[in-house]
Amino acid sequence: MDVKSAFLYGKIEEEVYVCQPPGFEDPDFPDKVYKVEKALYGLHQAPKAWYETFSTYLLDNRFQKGKIDKTLFIKRFKGDILLVQVYVDYIIFGSTKKELCNEFERLMLDRFQMSSIRELTFFLGLQVKQKKDGIFISQDKYVAEILKKFGFTEVKTASTPIETQKPLLKDEDGKEVDVHMYRSMIGSLMYLTSSRPDIMFAVCACTRYQVNPKVSHLRAVKKIFRYFKCQLKLGLWYPKDSPFDLVAYSNSDYAGASLDRKSTTEGCQFLGCRLIS
C-alpha cells in the first residue's frame, strides 16, 4: 500500500518554519516565514511524525511492535498471523489467511488516504514472484542494468566471484585507479547482497579498499561482474511447506586474515529451508 497523504496526519512537536519559495514571495511581506502546523512531505520531521501516528493506530488495534525491528508489527489470531512492515510511506503486509489481509486493507483505507498496489511483485529493486508452492526473490533486472551501466554486457564469464587461491592485499605499490568509479561499482554490488548471499564475501573483501583502490582490487571487482554473466538469475527461494524450525550455521577461519592475522567468523540462519539472516 502507498500512503498518499501519510505526512499530513502526523503532528510535529518542534517549531518548524519554512522560507517563502523563490518566485512566490509575498510582495507585502517578503521577509516573513511560514510556521508549519503539520508534518509536510520532505521535512526531516515528517517520517518520524508519520511513524508515531501510524504505530499508535496499530497498537490501539491490538498489534504488537517487533522487539528488534520497530517497523514490524504483528497481530495473532489463534493459529494465524498478520505481519505489517512499514518503509517510509509504503506498507507491506501478509498473512497466513487471506481474509486477514482483506480486513487490514479495509482498516487502512477507512483511516488513511491510501492506494492499494495489490500483490507485491516489485519493491526497492527486489523482484518478488509469488507461486503456489513458495516465493522467489531476485534482482536479475538490476543485475542486467549494472552490467550495462559498467560495460560488462560483452565479457568473458567467471565461474566464481573471487579468486580462491589469491587473497586480496593492500598492494601499496600497485597502480591507482579511479576512486569514484570503484566506489560506484562497490555500491551497486552492496545493494545486490540482499538477495545474492553468494557474492557477500567477495563484495565485503573488495569494500575494504575503497579509500585507495589499486588495479588488483578493481580486477577483483570486475571478476564479480563477470561472475554475474553466468549466474544472472539466482535468487532466494522461500518454499511454502517448509517447517518453522530455526537452524543456524557458522564458520570460522582462525587467524586467516592476510593483513592483520585476525580471525573471520560468519554465519547464517534459516527458518526451515528459508534463509532469513
Side-chain angles (χ1 to χ4, degrees):
M1 303 189 76
D2 178 17
V3 187
K4 292 183 178 179
S5 58
F7 302 109
L8 299 178
Y9 287 99
K11 288 285 186 180
I12 50 178
E13 298 178 359
E14 307 93 339
E15 284 194 359
V16 179
Y17 297 89
V18 181
C19 296
Q20 299 184 48
F24 295 90
E25 297 91 347
D26 189 329
D28 297 326
F29 305 98
D31 297 327
K32 296 285 186 178
V33 294
Y34 295 104
K35 181 179 180 180
V36 181
E37 296 293 339
K38 290 186 177 182
L40 296 177
Y41 196 95
L43 289 182
H44 293 296
Q45 296 85 353
K48 179 182 177 182
W50 158 242
Y51 171 76
E52 291 178 351
T53 301
F54 182 71
S55 61
T56 300
Y57 182 71
L58 290 183
L59 295 175
D60 291 342
N61 283 273
R62 297 185 293 115
F63 277 85
Q64 294 178 324
K65 187 182 297 185
K67 294 182 179 180
I68 298 176
D69 186 353
K70 300 302 180 180
T71 62
L72 175 67
F73 296 86
I74 307 166
K75 192 174 184 179
R76 293 177 173 84
F77 304 82
K78 297 181 180 179
D80 294 301
I81 188 172
L82 173 65
L83 301 176
V84 178
Q85 181 74 54
V86 182
Y87 182 82
V88 192
D89 56 345
Y90 284 91
I91 302 171
I92 302 174
F93 59 96
S95 176
T96 53
K97 191 176 183 180
K98 188 174 182 180
E99 288 76 8
L100 298 178
C101 286
N102 296 334
E103 180 183 341
F104 176 77
E105 186 174 346
R106 289 193 297 268
L107 183 69
M108 291 294 99
L109 294 175
D110 289 341
R111 175 62 179 85
F112 303 103
Q113 182 182 345
M114 295 185 172
S115 60
S116 178
I117 309 177
R118 314 307 299 176
E119 182 179 286
L120 183 67
T121 57
F122 191 83
F123 186 72
L124 297 177
L126 293 173
Q127 297 164 243
V128 182
K129 294 182 180 179
Q130 303 190 42
K131 303 180 180 180
K132 292 183 178 180
D133 54 345
I135 298 175
F136 183 67
I137 298 177
S138 64
Q139 292 175 279
D140 51 20
K141 288 184 179 179
Y142 180 74
V143 172
E145 289 176 1
I146 64 172
L147 286 176
K148 182 179 180 180
K149 176 182 178 181
F150 294 107
F152 286 89
T153 53
E154 301 293 336
V155 294
K156 293 183 179 180
T157 60
S159 58
T160 60
I162 193 171
E163 292 287 348
T164 57
Q165 303 297 329
K166 297 179 180 179
L168 281 179
L169 303 174
K170 284 187 176 181
D171 194 12
E172 296 179 351
D173 298 328
K175 184 179 179 181
E176 296 183 357
V177 297
D178 187 343
V179 175
H180 300 290
M181 175 62 71
Y182 187 86
R183 292 177 180 174
S184 178
M185 296 173 76
I186 289 293
S188 300
L189 293 174
M190 286 295 293
Y191 190 64
L192 274 171
T193 56
S194 56
S195 69
R196 296 292 297 260
D198 54 323
I199 66 168
M200 178 69 80
F201 179 82
V203 173
C204 289
C206 295
T207 302
R208 301 171 185 171
Y209 306 101
Q210 290 188 87
V211 176
N212 189 23
K214 302 299 176 64
V215 171
S216 59
H217 307 139
L218 181 60
R219 190 180 299 118
V221 173
K222 289 182 177 180
K223 184 177 177 64
I224 302 176
F225 279 86
R226 292 193 292 111
Y227 169 74
F228 283 140
K229 283 290 293 181
C230 65
Q231 301 291 351
L232 181 64
K233 296 183 179 294
L234 288 183
L236 298 175
W237 172 244
Y238 295 89
K240 178 181 179 181
D241 298 325
S242 178
F244 277 85
D245 299 328
L246 181 62
V247 182
Y249 298 90
S250 65
N251 188 22
S252 298
D253 182 11
Y254 181 71
S258 56
L259 297 178
D260 49 21
R261 309 308 300 171
K262 288 185 178 180
S263 300
T264 305
T265 302
E266 296 293 345
C268 58
Q269 291 80 43
F270 289 81
L271 274 181
C273 298
R274 310 175 187 95
L275 179 67
I276 59 172
S277 177

